[in-house]
Amino acid sequence: ARVGEELTIKSEDFETVYYSIKDQQRVTLKVRKIKVLPNPQLGSSRSKSTDMFKVYLDSSKYFLKKDAKKSLEYVTKALETAPNKIGNNIQSSQAYETLGDINLYWAQPDLAVDNFKESLLKRYSNNVKIKLGQAFIANNNYQESISAFEGLLKNNLSSYQETLVYEGLGDTYKAINDSKRSVLNYQKALQIAKNKLFTPKITDLNAKIAEAYANAGDIVEAEDYYNNSLKLAKKENKQRAVEQKNQVADFYNQNRDFDKEIQLRTETIEEIKGLDLKKLNQPLANEALTPQRQNYKIANAYVSQDKYKEAIPYLQKSIEQADAQEDLVVQKDATRKLSEIYRDIGEFDKATKGYEKYVEVVDELYIKKEQELSQAARFNKEFALKQTRIASLENERKLNESRYKLAFENQNLIAKNSRVQQWVIGSLVVIALLLLFAAYTQYKNVKQQKYNNNLLALKGLRTQMNPHFIFNALNSVNSFIAGNDERAANKYLSEFSQLMRSVLENSEEDFIPLQKEIELLELYVKLEHFRFKDKFDYKISIDENLKIEEFVIPPMLLQPYIENAVWHGLRYKAEKGMLDVNFKQLNTDTIKIMITDDGIGRKKSKEVKTENQKKQKSKGMGNIQKRISILNEMYKDKVDVSVENVFDNEEGTRVVLLLKK
């Protein structure tokens, strides 16, 4: 292919591609597979039947110009193999297109028209529509061909298809002797062919324009275009050059330019010798490209000039070659013409012998024609039977398509109902999920609200702890001042301010490190011991295996228990008591905190309370119990507290707290 030419890439397996060559680079073309609707009922047999369809159709095309009977048999088998289901119209369309090609080639244009129409009904194709227009011309349906080609011009055509359409219009107008329109359309086709370098078409169109001008009597224009066609044909191949020379020679014969005719035919005879005539795919009506026919026409050209002696050798050659090739038609015509020449020049013996030979050839030709007519009748009968068989296949296909369509619609209805059911079930599931989500959200909101309420309660309880603690501490300061112990009061206040700073820092936290709580307790016990030195001693012990850094504790959780031990147990004891605070790790997740005093005990403490103390409700322990309850609710049993007597006489008190991670 050369730059500017257009490639047409066709196959039964993919959509036709048209590509114009733009430069000298290698070209890679991607094609799109022809889409066929899936048919789940066919399974693997579909693939097998599709393969056989292609084999039969390819075989039909192979024999199309060689053996009409075989070609027809294969296209019938292809139609029988094609699955009779909806969605396989592509294969049916291809089969009917091939059938139309067979009809058109073997001079049955009426059948070609019907089959091309059937192909278009199965699947529209611009190429098939162009073939239909050509079949209309061959069947003398000129108005239909004009309508078909003009309709194609409204479609999206490739450059090559557009060339064929204008050529088809030119052929139609030439057939109805409208030379002006014929030339006009040929010129349009030629212009496209030149732009796209469709070389064979350029040659054909020059020849057709020449013929149209010749029919119109414009000999000069006709000769110019014929000369162009000769030059172009030489550049193609020998066969094309020979065909074109024969056509131009016929033109010179019609215009009685016998010298040019003889020259071209002489060249044609020489060039025919280099061709394998058996391999030439010539239409049935074209038998001109044979030596015997060319010699006969050269002889006729000489006879037309009254050059009988020059004509005789060519007629003798023609008779000899026709006899060798069993071409009885040329042998008959050449024998008769030779007899007439001998008669006209006065050689009556030779004329008589020639005429006798002519009669023998005519008799032989008559017998042959009878055989050919008989064969043609059988051929037409077989063709009609095949066509009937194909029509039967088509009716069967339509019936099966109707059945399949009903089954397909039923399947679609079932699928639609299934989709509706799935939609309803899906909707119910979505509604259920939404309800669950709403319930979960509501539950989460309630839980969060409860959690927030607990946080507020804890904060409130912590704020209550601070005034309570401050009040008790100030009472201690007040006692120092009342005893005129200013130095002790100053020292106590200094320690107290340090304690208060730690308490205030931790008051906003839900949990603080255990280490900070122990430091706060040590400072608090130190202050209480500073006040009641003569009442108790204290000891704070921490298990050396305890990993203090891994535990946290609510702030001011232990202080109220120590305060109770000092103020309600040890303070009222006659002799000096002992306060023991012990931290011990039970396991990786739990520590045990024991606050033990050997004071008067809870029972005697209640008995020695003054009337004023009894009237005041102790908020410290109540506050701490509420905090523990809320913490346990929020954090799944974070703190466990138990209070017990130390001695059997109900003296002494031990508070045990189990604190989990």
Side-chain angles (χ1 to χ4, degrees):
R2 291 178 294 176
V3 173
E5 289 185 331
E6 183 174 78
L7 302 180
T8 304
I9 300 91
K10 293 176 66 177
S11 169
E12 310 296 348
D13 296 323
F14 54 78
E15 296 178 7
T16 301
V17 178
Y18 301 96
Y19 183 82
S20 295
I21 304 296
K22 298 179 179 63
D23 50 39
Q24 293 289 345
Q25 301 303 313
R26 181 179 297 277
V27 177
T28 301
L29 291 175
K30 291 187 177 181
V31 297
R32 183 180 290 106
K33 186 175 181 181
I34 292 175
K35 295 180 180 177
V36 180
L37 294 176
N39 185 353
Q41 295 181 358
L42 292 176
S44 60
S45 63
R46 178 191 175 97
S47 176
K48 184 177 179 181
S49 63
T50 302
D51 291 342
M52 290 308 300
F53 172 84
K54 288 172 61 180
V55 169
Y56 287 135
L57 201 64
D58 288 343
S59 300
S60 177
K61 291 175 181 178
Y62 175 78
F63 285 108
L64 193 149
K65 296 180 180 181
K66 300 178 180 181
D67 190 327
K69 184 178 178 182
K70 283 187 178 181
S71 183
L72 197 59
E73 284 176 357
Y74 280 118
V75 79
T76 306
K77 287 181 179 180
L79 276 168
E80 289 173 342
T81 307
N84 297 326
K85 301 293 182 184
I86 292 174
N88 290 295
N89 284 341
I90 291 175
Q91 292 182 341
S92 298
S93 176
Q94 293 168 351
Y96 277 101
E97 180 185 357
T98 305
L99 192 59
D101 292 338
I102 297 169
N103 298 141
L104 193 58
Y105 184 82
W106 294 96
Q108 294 176 314
D110 54 335
L111 293 177
V113 167
D114 293 338
N115 288 313
F116 286 138
K117 284 182 177 179
E118 192 65 36
S119 176
L120 289 169
L121 284 175
K122 302 293 182 184
R123 183 192 62 163
Y124 182 83
S125 165
N126 287 332
N127 287 329
V128 178
K129 190 69 177 287
I130 291 170
K131 290 179 180 180
L132 176 61
Q134 294 166 346
F136 278 136
I137 297 172
N139 202 42
N140 302 325
N141 303 125
Y142 302 120
Q143 289 303 319
E144 287 88 340
S145 68
I146 292 171
S147 177
F149 287 128
E150 288 181 346
L152 277 162
L153 290 173
K154 300 174 184 177
N155 296 349
N156 185 20
L157 302 173
S158 71
S159 299
Y160 192 76
Q161 289 173 334
E162 195 173 0
T163 303
L164 292 177
V165 170
Y166 281 119
E167 183 183 11
L169 284 169
D171 292 341
T172 306
Y173 286 118
K174 184 179 72 174
I176 59 177
N177 296 317
D178 190 339
S179 299
K180 185 177 180 180
R181 288 186 181 180
S182 176
V183 170
L184 180 63
N185 283 283
Y186 283 145
Q187 291 283 15
K188 289 180 180 179
L190 180 60
Q191 188 59 48
I192 299 170
K194 285 180 177 179
N195 291 338
K196 296 295 181 179
L197 293 179
F198 300 145
T199 307
K201 275 296 165 196
I202 296 173
T203 306
D204 292 342
L205 289 165
N206 271 280
K208 288 187 175 184
I209 292 171
E211 188 179 355
Y213 275 126
N215 292 342
D218 194 340
I219 306 303
V220 176
E221 287 288 344
E223 188 170 9
D224 286 342
Y225 277 98
Y226 271 131
N227 287 332
N228 288 338
S229 68
L230 283 174
K231 293 175 184 177
L232 292 166
K234 286 180 181 178
K235 296 178 182 179
E236 289 188 46
N237 53 64
K238 288 185 178 181
Q239 180 182 338
R240 188 70 184 86
V242 168
E243 290 172 350
Q244 200 56 41
K245 281 186 178 181
N246 177 68
Q247 187 178 358
V248 177
D250 288 341
F251 164 73
Y252 285 130
N253 175 268
Q254 292 168 6
N255 291 280
R256 304 188 65 78
D257 192 342
F258 300 116
D259 290 337
K260 290 183 179 179
E261 178 193 2
I262 292 170
Q263 180 184 349
L264 285 175
R265 295 199 188 282
T266 303
E267 292 175 4
T268 300
I269 291 172
E270 290 300 317
E271 291 175 8
I272 286 175
K273 293 177 182 178
L275 296 177
D276 187 349
L277 297 179
K278 293 181 179 179
K279 292 184 178 180
L280 293 180
N281 290 325
Q282 295 297 329
L284 294 178
N286 184 9
E287 297 174 350
L289 297 183
T290 58
Q292 61 267 24
R293 175 65 68 177
Q294 292 297 318
N295 279 306
Y296 174 71
K297 288 189 174 184
I298 291 173
N300 272 336
Y302 279 120
V303 170
S304 298
Q305 299 176 80
D306 296 330
K307 296 179 179 180
Y308 301 120
K309 291 183 179 180
E310 288 86 345
I312 290 172
Y314 285 100
L315 287 173
Q316 290 172 340
K317 283 182 184 179
S318 177
I319 294 168
E320 182 182 345
Q321 290 167 342
D323 185 42
Q325 296 293 329
E326 297 181 354
D327 187 348
L328 294 177
V329 174
V330 174
Q331 188 178 0
K332 169 185 74 68
D333 293 339
T335 303
R336 178 181 59 81
K337 181 66 70 174
L338 184 60
S339 175
E340 290 174 352
I341 290 174
Y342 282 134
R343 182 198 63 193
D344 292 342
I345 63 175
E347 295 185 20
F348 298 108
D349 291 338
K350 290 182 179 180
T352 302
K353 289 180 181 179
Y355 186 76
E356 290 174 352
K357 182 64 176 176
Y358 166 72
V359 171
E360 290 177 6
V361 174
V362 168
D363 289 339
E364 188 178 351
L365 181 62
Y366 179 78
I367 295 170
K368 185 178 179 181
K369 287 294 181 182
E370 278 191 332
Q371 292 174 345
E372 288 178 353
L373 288 172
S374 177
Q375 289 175 354
R378 285 198 301 273
F379 174 75
N380 288 332
K381 185 178 180 181
E382 290 175 358
F383 223 113
L385 289 173
K386 292 293 182 184
Q387 198 72 25
T388 303
R389 172 60 180 154
I390 290 169
S392 172
L393 284 172
E394 183 58 24
N395 291 332
E396 183 182 349
R397 179 185 303 280
K398 288 178 179 178
L399 180 61
N400 285 333
E401 283 185 356
S402 299
R403 290 173 180 169
Y404 183 77
K405 188 175 181 181
L406 288 173
F408 188 72
E409 289 175 353
N410 185 49
Q411 187 176 355
N412 283 342
L413 185 59
I414 293 171
K416 187 177 180 181
N417 290 336
S418 177
R419 286 196 298 271
V420 171
Q421 288 179 351
Q422 290 174 355
W423 185 85
V424 171
I425 293 170
S427 300
L428 292 174
V429 169
V430 170
I431 292 170
L433 289 174
L434 288 174
L435 290 173
L436 286 172
F437 178 75
Y440 172 73
T441 304
Q442 186 66 21
Y443 166 75
K444 193 174 180 181
N445 289 338
V446 170
K447 189 175 180 182
Q448 184 64 35
Q449 187 62 42
K450 190 174 181 182
Y451 180 79
N452 292 338
N453 291 339
N454 286 333
L455 289 178
L456 288 173
L458 283 174
K459 188 173 182 180
L461 291 170
R462 286 199 304 272
T463 56
Q464 289 177 16
M465 287 296 296
N466 293 339
H468 175 74
F469 170 72
I470 294 168
F471 177 77
N472 290 337
L474 289 176
N475 278 338
S476 299
V477 176
N478 186 50
S479 64
F480 284 118
I481 295 172
N484 293 320
D485 192 349
E486 183 179 347
R487 185 176 179 183
N490 286 336
K491 185 178 181 182
Y492 188 87
L493 278 172
S494 177
E495 299 285 351
F496 172 71
S497 64
Q498 187 180 347
L499 176 62
M500 280 305 301
R501 188 179 295 109
S502 297
V503 170
L504 291 173
E505 285 176 358
N506 300 331
S507 62
E508 291 299 321
E509 303 294 333
D510 292 332
F511 292 93
I512 63 172
L514 181 59
Q515 179 65 42
K516 280 191 176 183
E517 182 72 2
I518 293 174
E519 291 173 358
L520 189 146
L521 281 181
E522 288 177 340
L523 189 55
Y524 174 71
V525 174
K526 183 178 179 182
L527 286 174
E528 292 291 26
H529 183 258
F530 184 72
R531 183 178 173 189
F532 300 110
K533 289 181 179 179
D534 56 341
K535 288 296 182 180
F536 73 95
D537 287 326
Y538 70 92
K539 180 177 69 174
I540 298 176
S541 57
I542 302 171
D543 184 1
E544 62 182 14
N545 296 321
L546 175 59
K547 297 180 180 179
I548 297 176
E549 68 277 359
E550 294 183 2
F551 290 87
V552 293
I553 189 170
M556 298 290 288
L557 183 68
L558 302 178
Q559 184 271 337
Y561 292 109
I562 294 176
E563 184 180 332
N564 267 9
V566 174
W567 283 74
H568 300 290
L570 296 170
R571 189 171 62 136
Y572 293 107
K573 189 174 181 181
E575 64 275 6
K576 198 172 187 178
M578 184 66 184
L579 174 64
D580 184 17
V581 181
N582 179 263
F583 294 86
K584 183 179 181 182
Q585 185 154 350
L586 295 181
N587 52 51
T588 55
D589 294 327
T590 309
I591 63 172
K592 183 179 182 181
I593 305 170
M594 289 191 299
I595 303 170
T596 307
D597 70 84
D598 56 356
I600 63 173
R602 288 173 293 169
K603 184 177 179 181
K604 285 185 180 181
S605 177
K606 289 179 182 178
E607 293 175 357
V608 299
K609 276 187 179 181
T610 64
E611 289 298 324
N612 186 49
Q613 286 174 334
K614 289 179 180 180
K615 289 179 183 179
Q616 294 178 355
K617 294 182 179 179
S618 176
K619 293 184 178 180
M621 295 309 298
N623 186 307
I624 206 66
Q625 288 172 2
K626 289 179 183 177
R627 287 178 69 195
I628 289 172
S629 176
I630 293 172
L631 287 168
N632 287 341
E633 183 179 341
M634 292 172 65
Y635 299 104
K636 297 181 181 178
D637 298 330
K638 186 77 175 178
V639 181
D640 186 21
V641 181
S642 63
V643 182
E644 60 186 18
N645 297 322
V646 178
F647 307 110
D648 293 338
N649 60 356
E650 296 185 359
E651 290 184 358
T653 305
R654 181 182 289 115
V655 178
V656 180
L657 289 91
L658 297 177
L659 181 68
K660 297 181 181 178
K661 277 189 180 178

